[in-house]
Amino acid sequence: MRRNYHERKDYYAHRYECLLFEVYSIDEAFLDITGSLPLFGNVETIAKKIKMDIRENLGRLTCSIGIAPNKLLAKLGSDMKKPDGLVIIRQEDVHTLMEHLPVKELCGIGQQVESHLAALGIKTCGELGRASIQVLKNQFGVMGERLKRMAQGIDESPVIPTEQEPDAKSVGHSMTLDRNESDREVLERHILQLSEMVGGRLRRAGYLGRTVTLTLRYADFSTFTRRRTARLYTNNSLDIHMIAQEIFHAIRLQQPVRLVGVSAHNLIRNIAQIPLFRTDKMKQAATRAMDEINDRYGDFCITWGTLIERYHHKGVISPSWRPNGVTCVHFSQQKSNQQKILRDDNNLSSSTK
């Protein structure tokens, strides 16, 4: 599936002479079409050709396209007229568009941020764009300035092709919870899920890490971060989870948690570690089997029994997803694969013969 994705990506990048093609999620991408304008004349013509090409060559699929001066607005445009829309946002129309647009429509503003903004009397992008930067910083920290710029339609992030991304210094993943959580057992399950995701990404990219960091963000947006360095390098999810759990067990929660994050640092790559002991060999074989099945059928199709009631991401898939490489995060087709998961607390929930 990832191979086919690459073939299609290369096909469209070559066909439209687009040198900058950034994968955003499992079914979304950003294209910088500046170099294609001399060939096709205008942005609308390019968009219509892409839509027609996809329909004719990929099984009559439809797609929505947003065209705008930057990635933030292009993403907004692509969401405005689904499932087969085409929206062009021109620079001169940005102010009028953003004035009455609800803040929740912007990519990156979830329910928690929306509720905190509402408490400040801010419901539209126009109101957010005019808000005091100091008030926003007091509430959201350094993110406050970015929120204000987003509401003004400003996004200076470039389109970065996967092959131009620098080598990773860390590999991590975090999740913002649907509600503030105080139950330590629930938080421990989230930590296990994140550790599994981080470990999978390390293994797919050929990395090992030695330092594990646990991040907790509380309801008031204050953030706790602590890291611990192991004796050996690893990319095994359970090893990562064990270190993260040791950190978690050593702290006392000050208030309910709204975000949990796990990351691996101090990375090395292309180092093959051959296990010496039978138990280590069995663990490595089980991990390899899980990876092969999950790569084929979707993440968490085979998993630990504890994660059957794991957190299911909603809305936009994390921008860290890529078709391969260290920034790859695969999301499973949960409904179609649930019947393949069997309960077995803290043991593999499925097996292969």
Side-chain angles (χ1 to χ4, degrees):
M1 184 173 181
R2 278 183 282 161
R3 176 176 56 81
N4 291 339
Y5 189 98
H6 270 303
E7 291 174 354
R8 294 171 182 176
K9 183 210 77 168
D10 293 340
Y11 169 76
Y12 287 108
H14 174 74
R15 180 172 177 82
Y16 296 101
E17 299 295 329
C18 179
L19 300 178
L20 298 180
F21 187 109
E22 177 183 342
V23 178
Y24 176 71
S25 74
I26 195 169
D27 61 351
E28 296 178 281
F30 290 112
L31 286 78
D32 184 338
I33 60 174
T34 305
S36 298
L37 291 175
L39 296 175
F40 295 95
N42 61 68
V43 295
E44 186 174 0
T45 300
I46 295 174
K48 288 181 177 179
K49 284 183 177 292
I50 292 176
K51 290 168 68 69
M52 182 181 300
D53 209 359
I54 291 175
R55 181 182 291 272
E56 293 178 352
N57 292 283
L58 299 179
R60 302 184 64 81
L61 291 176
T62 61
C63 76
S64 294
I65 296 179
I67 302 175
N70 58 54
K71 291 160 63 174
L72 175 72
L73 296 176
K75 168 63 178 165
L76 174 66
S78 70
D79 290 336
M80 292 177 70
K81 291 185 178 180
K82 288 188 173 183
D84 192 22
L86 171 56
V87 175
I88 301 175
I89 300 175
R90 305 187 187 279
Q91 186 62 56
E92 58 268 25
D93 299 327
V94 172
H95 177 76
T96 302
L97 172 67
M98 305 300 281
E99 180 61 29
H100 300 291
L101 184 76
V103 292
K104 66 180 181 180
E105 299 298 326
L106 290 181
C107 176
I109 296 184
Q111 293 180 352
Q112 291 284 345
V113 174
E114 180 189 9
S115 63
H116 282 280
L117 288 172
L120 298 175
I122 298 172
K123 296 184 178 180
T124 68
C125 290
E127 293 168 342
L128 179 55
R130 291 187 294 271
S132 164
I133 188 64
Q134 193 57 51
V135 170
L136 293 175
K137 283 186 174 181
N138 289 341
Q139 180 67 44
F140 300 102
V142 294
M143 194 177 81
E145 184 174 356
R146 170 159 172 74
L147 287 174
K148 182 180 178 74
R149 291 172 63 81
M150 288 171 58
Q152 296 171 339
I154 300 173
D155 177 19
E156 298 174 351
S157 60
V159 174
I160 304 176
T162 304
E163 57 271 17
Q164 293 183 14
E165 292 180 347
D167 285 341
K169 297 183 182 299
S170 66
V171 172
H173 202 82
S174 62
M175 57 175 67
T176 300
L177 309 180
D178 290 335
R179 60 186 179 85
N180 297 330
E181 186 62 67
S182 299
D183 189 325
R184 294 186 70 95
E185 183 176 343
V186 173
L187 293 171
E188 287 176 359
R189 186 166 64 243
H190 294 326
I191 293 172
L192 174 58
Q193 179 180 350
L194 291 166
S195 299
E196 182 65 40
M197 297 173 73
V198 171
R201 291 166 62 186
L202 287 170
R203 293 189 295 273
R204 291 185 186 106
Y207 280 95
L208 298 98
R210 192 177 169 204
T211 301
V212 174
T213 298
L214 175 67
T215 299
L216 302 176
R217 182 169 297 157
Y218 293 114
D220 65 355
F221 284 85
S222 61
T223 303
F224 166 91
T225 301
R226 186 164 297 173
R227 62 180 56 189
R228 183 167 296 182
T229 300
R231 184 172 59 89
L232 300 174
Y233 287 90
T234 185
N235 56 19
N236 183 275
S237 301
L238 292 183
D239 293 340
I240 296 169
H241 171 248
M242 185 178 300
I243 299 172
Q245 283 286 76
E246 289 176 356
I247 298 173
F248 184 66
H249 290 161
I251 64 174
R252 177 178 297 177
L253 296 180
Q254 300 176 3
Q255 54 183 296
V257 174
R258 69 179 304 270
L259 177 145
V260 185
V262 174
S263 57
H265 307 258
N266 196 3
L267 305 183
I268 58 174
R269 65 183 312 171
N270 298 324
I271 302 295
Q273 292 187 331
I274 301 176
L276 298 178
F277 301 103
R278 184 173 180 270
T279 54
D280 292 334
K281 290 180 180 179
M282 292 177 62
K283 184 168 66 173
Q284 187 181 79
T287 299
R288 186 180 296 114
M290 289 177 67
D291 286 344
E292 290 175 357
I293 294 172
N294 288 330
D295 283 348
R296 182 173 181 179
Y297 297 105
D299 272 4
F300 298 107
C301 147
I302 179 171
T303 188
W304 309 98
T306 303
L307 293 183
I308 289 182
E309 298 180 359
R310 65 191 174 276
Y311 180 81
H312 294 268
H313 292 260
K314 298 179 180 180
V316 178
I317 299 175
S318 169
S320 61
W321 185 92
R322 295 294 186 273
N324 62 23
V326 71
T327 52
C328 173
V329 179
H330 299 277
F331 289 81
S332 59
Q333 298 174 350
Q334 306 289 354
K335 292 183 179 179
S336 63
N337 292 323
Q338 279 183 341
Q339 66 270 26
K340 301 176 183 177
I341 302 176
L342 303 175
R343 289 184 181 272
D344 185 6
D345 192 22
N346 272 333
N347 288 291
L348 280 176
S349 56
S350 300
S351 61
T352 59
K353 296 182 179 179

